Amino acid sequence: TKGQMTYCSRGSYPSAQKPFSTTESPDWLHSKIDLNEERLANVFEEIERRFDVNIKYESHSVDSVRISGLFNTTNLDSLMQSLCILIDKDFKHDDNEVRVY
């Protein structure tokens, strides 16, 4: 319902609805992703969902990496460039695939 929100964790039911203002709305409504010590593999999964792409990377190179920050998600290449700077990697984007190396 407009002006209402709920939280839902994997494997559980949504919480009861509660009111919220648009200034407190989720970051995805404003093309942002807010990360707090998030595993990079999880970040890549979120990017895959938002941009309908497949991200390929060597799992051992990102398994222990955690990312924090507020990122703009209006442009896939800009987002990937920012993340790759943080992890000292490069990337290549072709059609629906992004390779991190």
Side-chain angles (χ1 to χ4, degrees):
T1 306
K2 184 177 181 178
Q4 297 286 310
M5 68 178 286
T6 185
Y7 289 99
C8 186
S9 298
R10 183 176 292 176
S12 67
Y13 293 102
S15 65
Q17 289 184 358
K18 64 180 187 178
F20 80 101
S21 70
T22 56
T23 59
E24 299 170 7
S25 63
D27 294 323
W28 59 265
L29 288 176
H30 300 288
S31 301
K32 305 277 186 214
I33 185 171
D34 190 6
L35 306 172
N36 185 17
E37 291 294 314
E38 188 65 45
R39 287 182 53 240
L40 186 57
N42 294 346
V43 175
F44 284 162
E45 288 175 5
E46 178 65 22
I47 293 169
E48 287 176 328
R49 282 191 293 274
R50 288 191 189 203
F51 289 94
D52 194 25
V53 296
N54 293 313
I55 299 177
K56 306 290 184 194
Y57 58 93
E58 293 181 16
S59 62
H60 70 275
S61 67
V62 299
D63 281 343
S64 63
V65 177
R66 297 201 176 260
I67 300 289
S68 295
L70 181 64
F71 298 88
N72 188 332
T73 60
T74 56
N75 181 283
L76 174 60
D77 289 335
S78 292
L79 175 58
M80 289 304 300
Q81 183 176 20
S82 296
L83 290 173
C84 285
I85 286 170
L86 291 174
I87 63 172
D88 196 28
K89 300 283 184 191
D90 289 316
F91 79 99
K92 184 168 176 79
H93 178 197
D94 290 317
D95 297 322
N96 290 336
E97 183 175 284
V98 176
R99 287 181 298 134
V100 177
Y101 55 93

